[in-house]
């Protein structure tokens, strides 16, 4: 009987490089890298979410927020929502990274090498948007439980308990109350992340006069980490207003009653545009910059460990 590990380590059939086995490995690597990085940064996310939800109380920055939460609630409060975070982002990473690989390779194959190189930014944008939309349908319920548990530490005693309580109190709709802002946050974030990281990595390889296949494994991981930091900061800035709205709308009673768009408009009006874009931005840049670098570094490492050669766009005119 084949175990999951044996299946993932199995080679693709001879003559095929980007087949269903490749996409399965890409999805698994994506799930692992997102779960590990988001889970590890749960304490930073707890502070960031508290700052967004109550900037008057938590007004002393990232380090001050850590100290305040530990002093008032103990160090374990910084792990609030860890289960929902790890599970939710494994599922999201599975569909996001696996989906991006599928959509970009499908597009590149249909266009041909030269046209794919010329249109790689558009391919990244479409692939990332499609993959993120699918991933967010699975992430949204887990993110709703995570934010509710961070905003109200007494709400639940774990992921399963949180699901049961939210379902009993609000029904299925409660899990998708934040779908619009999560799409508004995650789709621009993911598009920026993959476009910036892809182009930054290409620029780094070009500056070395090498292709990804011509460098050592450690150099390739270094390129992934550096380009990931650049992509993370850019995508954090772009998606921050929607991230603030998402944190607010999942807080009980936020935005009053009525349709979702009315609640979001009320929250945005109450906060103001400047604060919507800046409150909690520094800790989010720290978090997302670190997280994105880690994701691409882990993704490439896991793909290599699984025997998969990651797809890269190739300039057919290079060296001519």
């Amino acid at each position: 009987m084949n175990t999951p590990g044996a299946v993932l380590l199995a080679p693709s059939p001879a003559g095929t490089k980007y087949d269903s086995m490749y996409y399965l490995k890409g999805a698994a690597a994506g799930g692992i890298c997102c779960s590990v990085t988001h889970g590890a940064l749960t304490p930073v996310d707890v502070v960031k979410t508290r700052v967004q939800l109550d900037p008057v109380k938590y007004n002393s920055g990232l380090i001050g927020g850590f100290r305040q939460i530990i002093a008032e609630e103990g160090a374990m409060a910084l792990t609030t929502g860890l289960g929902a975070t790890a599970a939710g982002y494994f599922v999201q990473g599975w569909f996001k990274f696996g989906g991006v690989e599928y959509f970009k390779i499908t597009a590149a194959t249909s266009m041909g090498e030269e046209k794919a190189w010329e249109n790689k930014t558009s391919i990244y944008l479409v692939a990332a948007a499609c993959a993120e939309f699918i991933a967010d349908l699975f992430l949204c319920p887990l993110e709703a439980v995570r934010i509710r548990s961070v905003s109200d530490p007494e709400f639940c005693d774990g992921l399963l308990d949180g699901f049961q309580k939210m379902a009993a109190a609000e029904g299925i709709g409660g899990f998708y109350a934040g779908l619009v802002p999560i799409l508004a946050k995650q789709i621009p974030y993911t598009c920026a992340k993959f476009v910036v990281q892809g182009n930054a990595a290409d620029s780094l390889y070009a500056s070395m006069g090498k292709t990804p296949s011509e460098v050592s494994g450690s150099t390739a991981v270094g390129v992934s980490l550096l380009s990931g930091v650049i992509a993370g900061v850019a995508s954090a800035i772009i998606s921050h207003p929607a991230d603030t709205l998402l944190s607010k709308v999942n807080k009980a009673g936020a935005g009053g009653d009525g349709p979702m768009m009315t609640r979001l408009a009320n929250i945005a009006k109450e906060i103001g545009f400047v604060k919507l874009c800046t409150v909690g931005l520094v800790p989010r840049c720290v978090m997302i910059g670190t997280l994105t670098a880690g994701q691409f570094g882990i993704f490439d490492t896991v793909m290599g460990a699984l025997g998969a050669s990651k797809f890269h766009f190739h300039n057919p005119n290079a060296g001519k």
Side-chain angles (χ1 to χ4, degrees), residues 204-218:
L204 290 170
Y205 283 118
S207 70
M208 295 185 287
K210 303 282 188 179
T211 65
S213 61
E214 294 173 338
V215 302
S216 66
S218 59

Side-chain angles (χ1 to χ4, degrees), residues 184-185 188-189 192-193 229-244 273 276-278 280-286 288-289 292:
K185 178 188 80 167
Y189 160 75
K193 179 167 79 171
V229 170
I230 297 169
V233 173
S235 54
I237 294 170
I238 289 170
S239 61
H240 189 68
D243 183 66
T244 302
F273 179 75
L276 195 66
C277 296
T278 58
L281 180 60
V282 173
R284 187 157 193 266
C285 283
V286 172
I288 300 300
T292 305

Side-chain angles (χ1 to χ4, degrees), residues 92 96 100 124-137 139 178-196 234-236 238-240 242-243 246 284:
Q92 192 227 27
K96 176 161 66 177
V100 167
Y124 272 126
L125 288 171
V126 173
C130 292
E132 187 61 52
F133 179 82
I134 295 169
D136 287 345
L137 296 178
L139 172 66
L179 181 60
V180 171
I182 204 172
L183 290 173
K185 178 188 80 167
Q186 288 294 133
I187 289 179
Y189 160 75
T190 300
C191 288
K193 179 167 79 171
F194 281 96
V195 168
V196 174
S235 54
I238 289 170
S239 61
H240 189 68
D243 183 66
L246 177 63
R284 187 157 193 266

Side-chain angles (χ1 to χ4, degrees), residues 8-124:
L8 288 174
L9 289 170
S12 296
T16 62
K17 190 173 183 181
Y18 302 117
D19 58 354
S20 59
M21 182 58 64
Y22 173 85
Y23 298 124
L24 179 62
K25 291 176 179 180
I32 292 168
C33 76
C34 287
S35 182
V36 169
T37 52
H38 278 278
L41 286 171
T42 295
V44 177
D45 203 32
V46 168
V47 176
K48 175 191 71 70
T49 302
R50 295 286 184 92
V51 170
Q52 290 172 320
L53 292 173
D54 194 351
V56 175
K57 180 178 179 181
Y58 299 97
N59 60 3
S60 54
L62 179 61
I63 302 302
F66 273 107
R67 291 173 176 169
Q68 187 173 351
I69 291 172
I70 292 172
E72 294 178 355
E73 304 172 38
M76 288 303 294
L78 294 173
T79 65
T80 303
L82 176 60
T85 298
Y89 281 95
F90 180 87
V91 174
Q92 192 227 27
W94 178 282
F95 287 100
K96 176 161 66 177
F97 277 83
V100 167
E101 289 299 305
Y102 173 77
F103 289 122
K104 76 178 181 182
I105 292 172
T106 300
T109 302
S110 65
M111 287 184 179
E113 190 174 68
E114 185 169 356
K115 284 190 175 180
W117 175 260
E118 293 171 352
N119 295 281
K120 64 177 181 175
T121 296
S122 297
I123 293 173
Y124 272 126

